[in-house]
Amino acid sequence: MAKRALIHSLSDVDIRLVRVFITVTECGGFAASELELNIGRSTISKHISDLEMRIGLKLCNRGPSGFSLTQEGSQVLQFARKLLASIDGFQSEIDNIHTHLTGTLRLGVFDQSSTNPNARIHAAIGAFDELAPDVALEIALDPPSVLESRVTDGSMDIAIVPVHRQSSLLNYTPLYSEQMTLYCGVGHALFGMDQEAIRERLDLGAHKYAGYGFNSPNMKAGQSLGATRTARVQEEEALALLVKSGKYLGYLADHVAETHLRSGSVWPVAPNETRYSSTFAAITRRKPEPDRKTVVFLECLSDSHADQEHAISPHSRT
Amino acid sequence: MAKRALIHSLSDVDIRLVRVFITVTECGGFAASELELNIGRSTISKHISDLEMRIGLKLCNRGPSGFSLTQEGSQVLQFARKLLASIDGFQSEIDNIHTHLTGTLRLGVFDQSSTNPNARIHAAIGAFDELAPDVALEIALDPPSVLESRVTDGSMDIAIVPVHRQSSLLNYTPLYSEQMTLYCGVGHALFGMDQEAIRERLDLGAHKYAGYGFNSPNMKAGQSLGATRTARVQEEEALALLVKSGKYLGYLADHVAETHLRSGSVWPVAPNETRYSSTFAAITRRKPEPDRKTVVFLECLSDSHADQEHAISPHSRT
DNA sequence: TCTAAAGTTTCCATTTTATGAAACTATACA
DNA sequence: TGTATAGTTTCATAAAATGGAAACTTTAGA
């Protein structure tokens, strides 16, 4: 007993004694606080005397003659109230984390992502801002490979990239797709040719092919057609330029090609045979799990693209 | 599990979990904090997951891949540190009560207490001020009966009164005594008379007697001598005046009578027979027990009068 | 691709702690 | 002086905290 009193450092369980002390004080006695605390009188008695022993002061006079605080008891009561207020403060700060998201969301977007009308990233950002107005957004435009590595190493929370080869370290959430079709421009040998005729002499190796200089479904698609890439570009507009030059074949997103088609400056090359779909997905890292604001943003992205269908196989977990 | 997470109010035992969380964070992992916390790894694991469940947030990523705080974890860590600082603050405030006495000490002194050289109250006050410089002193001068009732009802902490009839509600700490002897003045029938002769014709009922108008040993002494009180006074100087008038007998404290004796203005009346001793004691209330500053002041009083002998029977406890 | 190592979690037996009922003590009031 | 009230102590029981063994998971290295 006396030993523990000497070690006068308030241990964690003693907070409970402090709380009991305050309640008893407010009720003006043990018997009255019994209901309030919902514990037996003997327990209250033990708690109060434990607390007195622990802090080494007599806190209150009690007995049949009534209940009253000692001078020291009044002081301790004051400090105790302050302490409980601090605990409540901690609690409310925790609650705050729950309700108000803060910090910075680092979002990455494929720097050459076309202005696909299916992409509703702006809508997602709008929805996110409603949910988490206190989160600052940081958007970076980079090639898919950079985005993937940055999400993997945690220096970016989430990114939107065309799905190519899925990494086991990332989670992929398909958002929208775009159709890619092979086109040629005015002056090209295949321009204006009947699709039936094109299909018959479809030897793509005989034509120059323009593709992206980075790892993408585009390259894979070109290879599978037997095309030899003779021009590399980094930007979509550059690719369109090459196609329109009449010297190159190249994949254009349907929504990009649309205007060119209307003006008669590009011609599809065996669309049914060459067409492929490029799916854009949000990537987050698998481990450590993304934080709450990232999860919320991911939900915003999903919701904004909910009406769209995706043709992506979910990555199998190890 | 989920149920308790919903009840997201931080209970008292959870403070301990918070402390564990901070330590683990500082150690950078469970294994490292095992020594620091001196509890088993499985216990730490349970504590952290309990805490996460309680506050409903994932605090840290842990596993073979290492230990790292989540964003929320960093925030919680910050709040947790603040919380522990509050607890430490409470602790130090308690320590402060231990070391520094504060408040007001309400002291009562018998308003007609003679300037007895044995009374060392001033010395006690000086010593007390050294020990408890932050305690304000409030000194009231009142008749013994008032002092006793004020100490009894707690509106006064301690008082110094002549001991008359001891109350079972008070504790008496004898401090100093004064000798009271019966005197007469110039012109009185007994003045200058040989003590032997006085003793022979000691019929005090035949003389006018002056005594105090309040309950005191003085009154009791006068009664025991068969004297009839024909003059009542409230002040000691008034009594001395009556004695010196030569018409009254009256008790004077020896140290008061001394100067009058030297100037030949008073004459002792059978000193050996009439003399009685009046003991002054500090009174404090028995229950509730006096607070610390009162106890300390009482010790100062005792110490200041330690060299003096007292002839008072300790009050028997019920 | 496999294996060893490191870190965490789960399960379970043991110890510790908390609790309330009943008996006990002390005070106030009639 | 008895009776009701307020708190304390004791003790048996219920609840929890704890640590060790084993299982699990991921990383690093062969």
Side-chain angles (χ1 to χ4, degrees), chain A residues 8 10 12 19 55-56 61 71-72 79-80 82 86 90-91 93 95 98 288 292-293, chain B residues 8 10 12 19 55-56 61 71-72 79-80 82 86 90-91 93 95 98 288 292-293:
Chain A
H8 59 304
L10 195 78
D12 311 290
R19 209 183 286 270
I55 70 181
N61 304 110
Q71 261 229 329
E72 290 86 14
F79 300 146
K82 212 167 70 183
S86 294
F90 177 77
Q91 184 62 55
E93 281 166 328
D95 289 348
H98 278 280
R292 289 202 334 118
K293 63 176 166 10
Chain B
H8 60 303
L10 195 78
D12 311 289
R19 207 184 286 271
I55 69 182
N61 305 111
Q71 262 229 328
E72 290 85 13
F79 301 147
K82 210 167 73 183
S86 294
F90 177 77
Q91 184 62 55
E93 281 166 329
D95 289 348
H98 277 279
R292 290 201 332 119
K293 61 176 165 18

mmCIF file of all heavy atoms in Angstrom, chain A residues 8 10 12 19 55-56 61 71-72 79-80 82 86 90-91 93 95 98 288 292-293, chain B residues 8 10 12 19 55-56 61 71-72 79-80 82 86 90-91 93 95 98 288 292-293:
data_model
loop_
_atom_site.group_PDB
_atom_site.id
_atom_site.type_symbol
_atom_site.label_atom_id
_atom_site.label_comp_id
_atom_site.label_asym_id
_atom_site.label_seq_id
_atom_site.Cartn_x
_atom_site.Cartn_y
_atom_site.Cartn_z
ATOM 1 N N HIS A 8 4.348 7.784 -7.020
ATOM 2 C CA HIS A 8 3.151 8.552 -7.354
ATOM 3 C C HIS A 8 3.184 8.998 -8.805
ATOM 4 O O HIS A 8 3.396 10.150 -9.131
ATOM 5 C CB HIS A 8 2.926 9.719 -6.394
ATOM 6 C CG HIS A 8 4.047 10.696 -6.338
ATOM 7 N ND1 HIS A 8 5.322 10.354 -6.054
ATOM 8 C CD2 HIS A 8 4.047 12.027 -6.548
ATOM 9 C CE1 HIS A 8 6.072 11.422 -6.080
ATOM 10 N NE2 HIS A 8 5.341 12.461 -6.379
ATOM 11 N N LEU A 10 0.623 8.633 -11.981
ATOM 12 C CA LEU A 10 -0.757 8.256 -12.264
ATOM 13 C C LEU A 10 -0.792 7.251 -13.405
ATOM 14 O O LEU A 10 -0.514 7.585 -14.535
ATOM 15 C CB LEU A 10 -1.550 9.498 -12.633
ATOM 16 C CG LEU A 10 -3.049 9.337 -12.610
ATOM 17 C CD1 LEU A 10 -3.539 9.396 -11.177
ATOM 18 C CD2 LEU A 10 -3.686 10.415 -13.437
ATOM 19 N N ASP A 12 -2.616 4.396 -15.936
ATOM 20 C CA ASP A 12 -3.705 4.599 -16.870
ATOM 21 C C ASP A 12 -5.051 4.212 -16.292
ATOM 22 O O ASP A 12 -6.046 4.858 -16.538
ATOM 23 C CB ASP A 12 -3.415 3.808 -18.131
ATOM 24 C CG ASP A 12 -2.008 4.077 -18.602
ATOM 25 O OD1 ASP A 12 -1.755 5.175 -19.064
ATOM 26 O OD2 ASP A 12 -1.174 3.180 -18.453
ATOM 27 N N ARG A 19 -12.544 9.621 -12.677
ATOM 28 C CA ARG A 19 -13.898 9.820 -13.165
ATOM 29 C C ARG A 19 -14.913 9.509 -12.064
ATOM 30 O O ARG A 19 -15.899 10.230 -11.883
ATOM 31 C CB ARG A 19 -14.145 8.919 -14.382
ATOM 32 C CG ARG A 19 -15.148 9.486 -15.361
ATOM 33 C CD ARG A 19 -15.380 8.509 -16.472
ATOM 34 N NE ARG A 19 -14.279 8.413 -17.426
ATOM 35 C CZ ARG A 19 -14.187 9.160 -18.522
ATOM 36 N NH1 ARG A 19 -15.105 10.046 -18.779
ATOM 37 N NH2 ARG A 19 -13.176 9.021 -19.350
ATOM 38 N N ILE A 55 -2.738 9.261 -5.048
ATOM 39 C CA ILE A 55 -2.227 10.622 -5.145
ATOM 40 C C ILE A 55 -1.779 11.148 -3.793
ATOM 41 O O ILE A 55 -1.231 12.240 -3.712
ATOM 42 C CB ILE A 55 -3.244 11.586 -5.798
ATOM 43 C CG1 ILE A 55 -4.430 11.839 -4.903
ATOM 44 C CG2 ILE A 55 -3.703 11.056 -7.131
ATOM 45 C CD1 ILE A 55 -5.434 12.748 -5.547
ATOM 46 N N GLY A 56 -1.971 10.328 -2.762
ATOM 47 C CA GLY A 56 -1.400 10.685 -1.469
ATOM 48 C C GLY A 56 -2.065 11.853 -0.771
ATOM 49 O O GLY A 56 -1.430 12.570 -0.007
ATOM 50 N N ASN A 61 -14.165 14.107 3.019
ATOM 51 C CA ASN A 61 -14.629 13.583 4.291
ATOM 52 C C ASN A 61 -15.955 12.922 4.011
ATOM 53 O O ASN A 61 -16.790 13.489 3.320
ATOM 54 C CB ASN A 61 -14.822 14.722 5.282
ATOM 55 C CG ASN A 61 -13.550 15.533 5.437
ATOM 56 O OD1 ASN A 61 -13.486 16.670 4.991
ATOM 57 N ND2 ASN A 61 -12.537 14.942 6.016
ATOM 58 N N GLN A 71 -10.012 20.601 1.341
ATOM 59 C CA GLN A 71 -9.438 21.669 0.518
ATOM 60 C C GLN A 71 -8.669 21.077 -0.657
ATOM 61 O O GLN A 71 -8.793 21.528 -1.798
ATOM 62 C CB GLN A 71 -8.495 22.511 1.396
ATOM 63 C CG GLN A 71 -9.127 23.774 1.910
ATOM 64 C CD GLN A 71 -8.212 24.946 1.654
ATOM 65 O OE1 GLN A 71 -6.994 24.787 1.647
ATOM 66 N NE2 GLN A 71 -8.796 26.106 1.421
ATOM 67 N N GLU A 72 -7.847 20.054 -0.346
ATOM 68 C CA GLU A 72 -7.073 19.419 -1.412
ATOM 69 C C GLU A 72 -8.016 18.767 -2.423
ATOM 70 O O GLU A 72 -7.771 18.799 -3.615
ATOM 71 C CB GLU A 72 -6.130 18.362 -0.827
ATOM 72 C CG GLU A 72 -4.980 18.923 -0.026
ATOM 73 C CD GLU A 72 -5.355 19.177 1.409
ATOM 74 O OE1 GLU A 72 -6.410 18.689 1.856
ATOM 75 O OE2 GLU A 72 -4.598 19.900 2.099
ATOM 76 N N PHE A 79 -8.535 20.047 -11.119
ATOM 77 C CA PHE A 79 -7.566 19.480 -12.053
ATOM 78 C C PHE A 79 -8.179 18.287 -12.781
ATOM 79 O O PHE A 79 -7.930 18.078 -13.973
ATOM 80 C CB PHE A 79 -6.295 19.039 -11.316
ATOM 81 C CG PHE A 79 -5.611 20.160 -10.596
ATOM 82 C CD1 PHE A 79 -4.943 19.932 -9.397
ATOM 83 C CD2 PHE A 79 -5.620 21.452 -11.108
ATOM 84 C CE1 PHE A 79 -4.310 20.964 -8.725
ATOM 85 C CE2 PHE A 79 -4.997 22.494 -10.442
ATOM 86 C CZ PHE A 79 -4.340 22.236 -9.249
ATOM 87 N N ALA A 80 -8.956 17.513 -12.051
ATOM 88 C CA ALA A 80 -9.551 16.308 -12.636
ATOM 89 C C ALA A 80 -10.517 16.686 -13.754
ATOM 90 O O ALA A 80 -10.542 16.042 -14.801
ATOM 91 C CB ALA A 80 -10.285 15.516 -11.554
ATOM 92 N N LYS A 82 -10.329 19.260 -15.602
ATOM 93 C CA LYS A 82 -9.505 19.680 -16.731
ATOM 94 C C LYS A 82 -8.994 18.447 -17.478
ATOM 95 O O LYS A 82 -8.980 18.407 -18.709
ATOM 96 C CB LYS A 82 -8.328 20.526 -16.220
ATOM 97 C CG LYS A 82 -7.873 21.591 -17.187
ATOM 98 C CD LYS A 82 -6.934 22.595 -16.529
ATOM 99 C CE LYS A 82 -5.582 22.021 -16.201
ATOM 100 N NZ LYS A 82 -4.716 22.988 -15.493
ATOM 101 N N SER A 86 -9.601 17.153 -21.343
ATOM 102 C CA SER A 86 -8.553 16.800 -22.302
ATOM 103 C C SER A 86 -8.874 15.483 -22.989
ATOM 104 O O SER A 86 -8.669 15.327 -24.190
ATOM 105 C CB SER A 86 -7.200 16.685 -21.606
ATOM 106 O OG SER A 86 -6.795 17.938 -21.124
ATOM 107 N N PHE A 90 -9.458 14.775 -26.908
ATOM 108 C CA PHE A 90 -8.843 13.727 -27.713
ATOM 109 C C PHE A 90 -9.919 12.980 -28.487
ATOM 110 O O PHE A 90 -9.805 12.762 -29.696
ATOM 111 C CB PHE A 90 -8.082 12.768 -26.794
ATOM 112 C CG PHE A 90 -7.454 11.606 -27.496
ATOM 113 C CD1 PHE A 90 -6.286 11.764 -28.223
ATOM 114 C CD2 PHE A 90 -8.038 10.347 -27.427
ATOM 115 C CE1 PHE A 90 -5.707 10.684 -28.869
ATOM 116 C CE2 PHE A 90 -7.460 9.267 -28.071
ATOM 117 C CZ PHE A 90 -6.295 9.440 -28.787
ATOM 118 N N GLN A 91 -10.959 12.634 -27.755
ATOM 119 C CA GLN A 91 -12.063 11.910 -28.372
ATOM 120 C C GLN A 91 -12.635 12.681 -29.556
ATOM 121 O O GLN A 91 -12.877 12.114 -30.628
ATOM 122 C CB GLN A 91 -13.149 11.683 -27.316
ATOM 123 C CG GLN A 91 -14.309 10.862 -27.817
ATOM 124 C CD GLN A 91 -13.859 9.484 -28.223
ATOM 125 O OE1 GLN A 91 -13.256 8.762 -27.446
ATOM 126 N NE2 GLN A 91 -14.116 9.109 -29.462
ATOM 127 N N GLU A 93 -11.229 14.928 -31.305
ATOM 128 C CA GLU A 93 -10.271 15.010 -32.404
ATOM 129 C C GLU A 93 -10.305 13.733 -33.231
ATOM 130 O O GLU A 93 -10.188 13.772 -34.459
ATOM 131 C CB GLU A 93 -8.868 15.282 -31.859
ATOM 132 C CG GLU A 93 -8.679 16.742 -31.505
ATOM 133 C CD GLU A 93 -7.442 16.997 -30.668
ATOM 134 O OE1 GLU A 93 -7.037 16.134 -29.860
ATOM 135 O OE2 GLU A 93 -6.868 18.085 -30.797
ATOM 136 N N ASP A 95 -12.950 11.837 -33.482
ATOM 137 C CA ASP A 95 -14.204 11.920 -34.227
ATOM 138 C C ASP A 95 -14.029 12.770 -35.475
ATOM 139 O O ASP A 95 -14.614 12.494 -36.522
ATOM 140 C CB ASP A 95 -15.304 12.528 -33.342
ATOM 141 C CG ASP A 95 -15.728 11.566 -32.240
ATOM 142 O OD1 ASP A 95 -15.346 10.385 -32.325
ATOM 143 O OD2 ASP A 95 -16.420 12.001 -31.316
ATOM 144 N N HIS A 98 -12.702 11.029 -38.262
ATOM 145 C CA HIS A 98 -13.727 10.203 -38.883
ATOM 146 C C HIS A 98 -14.570 10.997 -39.864
ATOM 147 O O HIS A 98 -14.872 10.531 -40.951
ATOM 148 C CB HIS A 98 -14.648 9.608 -37.813
ATOM 149 C CG HIS A 98 -14.090 8.392 -37.174
ATOM 150 N ND1 HIS A 98 -14.157 7.164 -37.754
ATOM 151 C CD2 HIS A 98 -13.446 8.222 -36.013
ATOM 152 C CE1 HIS A 98 -13.574 6.284 -36.959
ATOM 153 N NE2 HIS A 98 -13.129 6.903 -35.899
ATOM 154 N N PRO A 288 0.961 -1.142 -48.260
ATOM 155 C CA PRO A 288 -0.072 -0.966 -47.241
ATOM 156 C C PRO A 288 -1.361 -0.470 -47.867
ATOM 157 O O PRO A 288 -1.332 0.211 -48.878
ATOM 158 C CB PRO A 288 0.506 0.108 -46.324
ATOM 159 C CG PRO A 288 1.912 0.321 -46.729
ATOM 160 C CD PRO A 288 2.088 -0.228 -48.083
ATOM 161 N N ARG A 292 -7.921 6.483 -45.905
ATOM 162 C CA ARG A 292 -9.346 6.720 -46.081
ATOM 163 C C ARG A 292 -9.679 7.690 -47.204
ATOM 164 O O ARG A 292 -10.589 7.471 -47.985
ATOM 165 C CB ARG A 292 -9.959 7.196 -44.765
ATOM 166 C CG ARG A 292 -10.029 6.067 -43.751
ATOM 167 C CD ARG A 292 -11.060 6.311 -42.675
ATOM 168 N NE ARG A 292 -11.340 7.700 -42.438
ATOM 169 C CZ ARG A 292 -12.529 8.257 -42.611
ATOM 170 N NH1 ARG A 292 -13.527 7.519 -43.024
ATOM 171 N NH2 ARG A 292 -12.714 9.527 -42.359
ATOM 172 N N LYS A 293 -8.924 8.768 -47.285
ATOM 173 C CA LYS A 293 -9.260 9.747 -48.320
ATOM 174 C C LYS A 293 -9.075 9.135 -49.707
ATOM 175 O O LYS A 293 -9.848 9.421 -50.629
ATOM 176 C CB LYS A 293 -8.424 11.026 -48.148
ATOM 177 C CG LYS A 293 -6.929 10.862 -48.306
ATOM 178 C CD LYS A 293 -6.263 12.214 -48.210
ATOM 179 C CE LYS A 293 -4.758 12.153 -48.012
ATOM 180 N NZ LYS A 293 -4.046 10.911 -48.132
ATOM 181 N N HIS B 8 -18.146 4.658 -30.035
ATOM 182 C CA HIS B 8 -16.786 5.207 -30.033
ATOM 183 C C HIS B 8 -16.630 6.286 -28.977
ATOM 184 O O HIS B 8 -16.503 7.452 -29.256
ATOM 185 C CB HIS B 8 -16.352 5.685 -31.417
ATOM 186 C CG HIS B 8 -17.222 6.750 -31.981
ATOM 187 N ND1 HIS B 8 -18.559 6.599 -32.147
ATOM 188 C CD2 HIS B 8 -16.922 7.986 -32.437
ATOM 189 C CE1 HIS B 8 -19.071 7.692 -32.665
ATOM 190 N NE2 HIS B 8 -18.097 8.560 -32.855
ATOM 191 N N LEU B 10 -14.077 6.928 -25.789
ATOM 192 C CA LEU B 10 -12.822 6.418 -25.264
ATOM 193 C C LEU B 10 -12.973 6.120 -23.782
ATOM 194 O O LEU B 10 -13.109 7.027 -22.977
ATOM 195 C CB LEU B 10 -11.728 7.467 -25.475
ATOM 196 C CG LEU B 10 -10.319 6.960 -25.312
ATOM 197 C CD1 LEU B 10 -9.897 6.200 -26.543
ATOM 198 C CD2 LEU B 10 -9.393 8.119 -25.063
ATOM 199 N N ASP B 12 -11.730 4.502 -20.038
ATOM 200 C CA ASP B 12 -10.546 4.839 -19.254
ATOM 201 C C ASP B 12 -9.400 3.881 -19.495
ATOM 202 O O ASP B 12 -8.244 4.285 -19.545
ATOM 203 C CB ASP B 12 -10.934 4.842 -17.788
ATOM 204 C CG ASP B 12 -12.193 5.653 -17.574
ATOM 205 O OD1 ASP B 12 -12.105 6.868 -17.700
ATOM 206 O OD2 ASP B 12 -13.238 5.058 -17.322
ATOM 207 N N ARG B 19 -1.101 4.786 -24.717
ATOM 208 C CA ARG B 19 0.295 4.850 -24.292
ATOM 209 C C ARG B 19 1.127 3.787 -25.018
ATOM 210 O O ARG B 19 2.247 4.041 -25.458
ATOM 211 C CB ARG B 19 0.381 4.657 -22.778
ATOM 212 C CG ARG B 19 1.583 5.322 -22.155
ATOM 213 C CD ARG B 19 1.637 5.005 -20.679
ATOM 214 N NE ARG B 19 0.653 5.702 -19.883
ATOM 215 C CZ ARG B 19 0.850 6.900 -19.341
ATOM 216 N NH1 ARG B 19 2.001 7.512 -19.515
ATOM 217 N NH2 ARG B 19 -0.076 7.469 -18.617
ATOM 218 N N ILE B 55 -11.122 3.181 -31.835
ATOM 219 C CA ILE B 55 -11.262 4.495 -32.459
ATOM 220 C C ILE B 55 -11.659 4.366 -33.922
ATOM 221 O O ILE B 55 -11.894 5.369 -34.582
ATOM 222 C CB ILE B 55 -9.998 5.362 -32.292
ATOM 223 C CG1 ILE B 55 -8.833 4.822 -33.091
ATOM 224 C CG2 ILE B 55 -9.606 5.488 -30.841
ATOM 225 C CD1 ILE B 55 -7.578 5.631 -32.909
ATOM 226 N N GLY B 56 -11.748 3.127 -34.379
ATOM 227 C CA GLY B 56 -12.298 2.914 -35.715
ATOM 228 C C GLY B 56 -11.413 3.369 -36.856
ATOM 229 O O GLY B 56 -11.902 3.748 -37.913
ATOM 230 N N ASN B 61 0.559 0.252 -40.413
ATOM 231 C CA ASN B 61 0.799 -0.939 -41.208
ATOM 232 C C ASN B 61 1.918 -1.689 -40.546
ATOM 233 O O ASN B 61 2.935 -1.104 -40.186
ATOM 234 C CB ASN B 61 1.195 -0.547 -42.621
ATOM 235 C CG ASN B 61 0.157 0.364 -43.241
ATOM 236 O OD1 ASN B 61 0.428 1.537 -43.448
ATOM 237 N ND2 ASN B 61 -1.007 -0.155 -43.508
ATOM 238 N N GLN B 71 -1.692 7.562 -42.466
ATOM 239 C CA GLN B 71 -1.939 8.995 -42.322
ATOM 240 C C GLN B 71 -2.746 9.284 -41.073
ATOM 241 O O GLN B 71 -2.417 10.186 -40.294
ATOM 242 C CB GLN B 71 -2.692 9.482 -43.559
ATOM 243 C CG GLN B 71 -1.809 10.121 -44.588
ATOM 244 C CD GLN B 71 -2.401 11.447 -45.032
ATOM 245 O OE1 GLN B 71 -3.604 11.603 -45.054
ATOM 246 N NE2 GLN B 71 -1.537 12.381 -45.344
ATOM 247 N N GLU B 72 -3.807 8.492 -40.884
ATOM 248 C CA GLU B 72 -4.639 8.679 -39.710
ATOM 249 C C GLU B 72 -3.819 8.415 -38.447
ATOM 250 O O GLU B 72 -3.977 9.096 -37.445
ATOM 251 C CB GLU B 72 -5.852 7.743 -39.744
ATOM 252 C CG GLU B 72 -6.885 8.103 -40.793
ATOM 253 C CD GLU B 72 -6.556 7.511 -42.151
ATOM 254 O OE1 GLU B 72 -5.672 6.640 -42.210
ATOM 255 O OE2 GLU B 72 -7.174 7.924 -43.140
ATOM 256 N N PHE B 79 -2.394 13.654 -31.510
ATOM 257 C CA PHE B 79 -3.404 13.892 -30.484
ATOM 258 C C PHE B 79 -3.067 13.113 -29.215
ATOM 259 O O PHE B 79 -3.281 13.591 -28.104
ATOM 260 C CB PHE B 79 -4.787 13.489 -30.991
ATOM 261 C CG PHE B 79 -5.221 14.221 -32.226
ATOM 262 C CD1 PHE B 79 -6.014 13.613 -33.180
ATOM 263 C CD2 PHE B 79 -4.832 15.543 -32.435
ATOM 264 C CE1 PHE B 79 -6.428 14.292 -34.314
ATOM 265 C CE2 PHE B 79 -5.231 16.231 -33.568
ATOM 266 C CZ PHE B 79 -6.016 15.599 -34.508
ATOM 267 N N ALA B 80 -2.566 11.901 -29.415
ATOM 268 C CA ALA B 80 -2.259 11.047 -28.274
ATOM 269 C C ALA B 80 -1.157 11.666 -27.426
ATOM 270 O O ALA B 80 -1.214 11.645 -26.198
ATOM 271 C CB ALA B 80 -1.832 9.667 -28.761
ATOM 272 N N LYS B 82 -0.558 14.751 -27.113
ATOM 273 C CA LYS B 82 -1.168 15.873 -26.397
ATOM 274 C C LYS B 82 -1.937 15.363 -25.180
ATOM 275 O O LYS B 82 -1.866 15.943 -24.095
ATOM 276 C CB LYS B 82 -2.111 16.623 -27.353
ATOM 277 C CG LYS B 82 -2.232 18.091 -27.062
ATOM 278 C CD LYS B 82 -2.911 18.839 -28.203
ATOM 279 C CE LYS B 82 -4.378 18.582 -28.283
ATOM 280 N NZ LYS B 82 -5.037 19.244 -29.424
ATOM 281 N N SER B 86 -1.405 16.043 -21.153
ATOM 282 C CA SER B 86 -2.432 16.502 -20.213
ATOM 283 C C SER B 86 -2.413 15.667 -18.940
ATOM 284 O O SER B 86 -2.559 16.191 -17.840
ATOM 285 C CB SER B 86 -3.816 16.411 -20.852
ATOM 286 O OG SER B 86 -3.920 17.312 -21.914
ATOM 287 N N PHE B 90 -1.754 16.905 -15.167
ATOM 288 C CA PHE B 90 -2.567 16.594 -13.989
ATOM 289 C C PHE B 90 -1.663 16.082 -12.872
ATOM 290 O O PHE B 90 -1.726 16.534 -11.734
ATOM 291 C CB PHE B 90 -3.603 15.533 -14.354
ATOM 292 C CG PHE B 90 -4.458 15.066 -13.215
ATOM 293 C CD1 PHE B 90 -5.493 15.850 -12.753
ATOM 294 C CD2 PHE B 90 -4.212 13.840 -12.620
ATOM 295 C CE1 PHE B 90 -6.292 15.420 -11.699
ATOM 296 C CE2 PHE B 90 -5.004 13.407 -11.576
ATOM 297 C CZ PHE B 90 -6.048 14.193 -11.109
ATOM 298 N N GLN B 91 -0.797 15.151 -13.262
ATOM 299 C CA GLN B 91 0.121 14.585 -12.287
ATOM 300 C C GLN B 91 0.947 15.663 -11.606
ATOM 301 O O GLN B 91 1.116 15.678 -10.384
ATOM 302 C CB GLN B 91 1.041 13.580 -12.998
ATOM 303 C CG GLN B 91 1.979 12.854 -12.077
ATOM 304 C CD GLN B 91 1.206 12.033 -11.064
ATOM 305 O OE1 GLN B 91 0.384 11.225 -11.427
ATOM 306 N NE2 GLN B 91 1.455 12.275 -9.796
ATOM 307 N N GLU B 93 0.289 18.761 -11.316
ATOM 308 C CA GLU B 93 -0.532 19.624 -10.471
ATOM 309 C C GLU B 93 -0.770 18.964 -9.114
ATOM 310 O O GLU B 93 -0.798 19.635 -8.082
ATOM 311 C CB GLU B 93 -1.857 19.929 -11.175
ATOM 312 C CG GLU B 93 -1.702 21.014 -12.228
ATOM 313 C CD GLU B 93 -2.889 21.104 -13.175
ATOM 314 O OE1 GLU B 93 -3.544 20.089 -13.444
ATOM 315 O OE2 GLU B 93 -3.142 22.201 -13.660
ATOM 316 N N ASP B 95 1.328 16.866 -7.767
ATOM 317 C CA ASP B 95 2.604 16.999 -7.072
ATOM 318 C C ASP B 95 2.723 18.369 -6.421
ATOM 319 O O ASP B 95 3.269 18.513 -5.336
ATOM 320 C CB ASP B 95 3.769 16.797 -8.068
ATOM 321 C CG ASP B 95 3.872 15.347 -8.496
ATOM 322 O OD1 ASP B 95 3.217 14.496 -7.866
ATOM 323 O OD2 ASP B 95 4.608 15.066 -9.460
ATOM 324 N N HIS B 98 1.175 18.655 -3.239
ATOM 325 C CA HIS B 98 1.994 18.008 -2.212
ATOM 326 C C HIS B 98 3.065 18.948 -1.682
ATOM 327 O O HIS B 98 3.306 19.008 -0.485
ATOM 328 C CB HIS B 98 2.681 16.769 -2.798
ATOM 329 C CG HIS B 98 1.805 15.569 -2.796
ATOM 330 N ND1 HIS B 98 1.613 14.799 -1.691
ATOM 331 C CD2 HIS B 98 1.060 15.019 -3.773
ATOM 332 C CE1 HIS B 98 0.777 13.816 -1.980
ATOM 333 N NE2 HIS B 98 0.425 13.926 -3.247
ATOM 334 N N PRO B 288 -14.526 16.871 10.465
ATOM 335 C CA PRO B 288 -13.519 16.265 9.593
ATOM 336 C C PRO B 288 -12.115 16.693 10.000
ATOM 337 O O PRO B 288 -11.932 17.783 10.538
ATOM 338 C CB PRO B 288 -13.850 16.817 8.211
ATOM 339 C CG PRO B 288 -15.149 17.525 8.335
ATOM 340 C CD PRO B 288 -15.384 17.813 9.742
ATOM 341 N N ARG B 292 -4.168 19.956 5.390
ATOM 342 C CA ARG B 292 -2.715 19.904 5.561
ATOM 343 C C ARG B 292 -2.122 21.200 6.076
ATOM 344 O O ARG B 292 -1.253 21.202 6.933
ATOM 345 C CB ARG B 292 -2.054 19.483 4.251
ATOM 346 C CG ARG B 292 -2.327 18.027 3.932
ATOM 347 C CD ARG B 292 -1.316 17.462 2.960
ATOM 348 N NE ARG B 292 -0.742 18.444 2.071
ATOM 349 C CZ ARG B 292 0.539 18.735 2.030
ATOM 350 N NH1 ARG B 292 1.374 18.121 2.836
ATOM 351 N NH2 ARG B 292 0.993 19.617 1.163
ATOM 352 N N LYS B 293 -2.580 22.326 5.547
ATOM 353 C CA LYS B 293 -1.966 23.581 5.975
ATOM 354 C C LYS B 293 -2.236 23.818 7.465
ATOM 355 O O LYS B 293 -1.382 24.342 8.176
ATOM 356 C CB LYS B 293 -2.457 24.739 5.125
ATOM 357 C CG LYS B 293 -3.945 25.019 5.172
ATOM 358 C CD LYS B 293 -4.255 26.262 4.359
ATOM 359 C CE LYS B 293 -5.734 26.425 4.028
ATOM 360 N NZ LYS B 293 -6.713 25.686 4.786
#
